[in-house]
């Protein structure tokens, strides 16, 4: 019976730069002051940006959409990143709408993301970097929204077929027979 022995030949050290750039997950590496220090190809593709974003503050590269008064992407992301720096723990954010600049005369594209911010700690447990991993879930959100619209339209058609309708008032919607919606 033959016993296999591990090879004494040293294994080559992986090229971590190549591994980072080859991963399919969009990754951005930030300094604790939220300056972008590295980015992989998947992130550049997902956000439509170039490597020239490296060295810039993340909120300069990705500001809130000024055309959307309800935009809160910067506030939510800043809160998450500050939590990571303050606690040294990973922060998984809720689904976020965070529109991205398109470069076309200051335009923005509506985008939805599922972000996770993970600290990189030194030997003294201080945060040296933050890995910002995102998943673009825009298509999922749009499909879900379209499904809800179809469900609502089907429900309204069913109610019309049954001689009822959804009547809107200043205080909300109510279901009434078609003949009583006017008053």
């Amino acid at each position: 019976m033959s016993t296999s022995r591990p090879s004494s030949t040293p294994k080559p050290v992986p090229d971590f730069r190549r591994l980072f750039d080859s991963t399919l997950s969009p990754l951005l590496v930030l300094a604790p002051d939220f300056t972008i220090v590295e980015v992989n190809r998947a992130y550049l593709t997902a956000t439509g940006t170039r490597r020239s974003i490296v060295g810039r503050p993340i909120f300069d590269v990705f500001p809130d959409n000024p055309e959307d008064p309800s935009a809160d992407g910067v506030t939510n992301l800043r809160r998450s990143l500050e939590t990571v720096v303050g606690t040294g723990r990973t922060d998984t954010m809720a689904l976020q709408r965070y529109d991205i600049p398109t470069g076309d005369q200051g335009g923005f594209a509506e985008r939805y993301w599922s972000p996770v911010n993970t600290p990189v700690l030194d030997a003294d447990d201080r945060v040296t970097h933050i890995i910002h991993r995102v998943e673009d879930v825009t298509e999922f959100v749009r499909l879900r929204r379209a499904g809800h619209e179809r469900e609502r339209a089907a429900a309204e058609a069913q109610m019309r077929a049954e001689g009822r309708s959804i009547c809107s008032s200043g205080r909300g919607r109510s279901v009434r027979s078609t003949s009583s919606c006017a008053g």
Side-chain angles (χ1 to χ4, degrees), residues 4 8 28 31 59 81 88 134 142-143 147-148 158 169 171 175:
S4 296
S8 61
L28 185 72
F59 301 115
L81 296 173
V134 295
R142 288 181 180 151
L143 289 171
H148 287 305
Q158 178 67 31
S169 70
R171 295 184 186 181
V175 177

Side-chain angles (χ1 to χ4, degrees), residues 18-173:
R18 182 166 285 169
L19 288 171
F20 175 74
D21 213 31
S22 296
T23 188
L24 299 177
S25 291
L27 301 170
L28 185 72
V29 180
L30 300 166
D33 67 357
F34 313 144
T35 299
I36 300 168
V37 296
E38 195 52 76
V39 61
N40 71 355
R41 271 186 288 198
Y43 193 93
L44 295 174
T45 300
T47 60
T49 53
R50 294 196 167 101
R51 286 200 54 78
S52 59
I53 67 173
V54 173
R56 296 181 56 201
I58 190 171
F59 301 115
D60 287 356
V61 175
F62 301 107
D64 273 333
N65 181 350
E67 299 298 316
D68 181 0
S70 67
D72 59 0
V74 167
T75 299
N76 294 336
L77 180 55
R78 184 181 307 277
R79 184 180 311 119
S80 176
L81 296 173
E82 287 172 349
T83 297
V84 171
V85 171
T87 66
R89 294 189 187 142
T90 297
D91 187 60
T92 301
M93 298 177 67
L95 179 77
Q96 296 291 306
R97 177 178 174 181
Y98 200 128
D99 297 347
I100 59 169
T102 61
D104 301 345
Q105 294 88 30
F108 281 76
E110 179 182 79
R111 297 296 272 281
Y112 292 86
W113 306 94
S114 178
V116 177
N117 297 303
T118 305
V120 176
L121 306 173
D122 65 12
D124 296 321
D125 289 333
R126 287 186 301 249
V127 175
T128 62
H129 296 90
I130 303 163
I131 300 172
H132 176 65
R133 182 187 61 78
V134 295
E135 182 178 354
D136 184 347
V137 294
T138 304
E139 193 58 30
F140 170 77
V141 170
R142 288 181 180 151
L143 289 171
R144 190 171 175 199
R145 189 183 298 154
H148 287 305
E149 292 296 320
R150 279 193 298 275
E151 289 172 9
R152 194 175 104 242
E156 288 178 358
Q158 178 67 31
M159 293 180 71
R160 279 192 302 277
E162 294 173 359
R164 297 178 291 162
S165 66
I166 297 176
C167 301
S168 295
S169 70
R171 295 184 186 181
R173 294 177 175 220

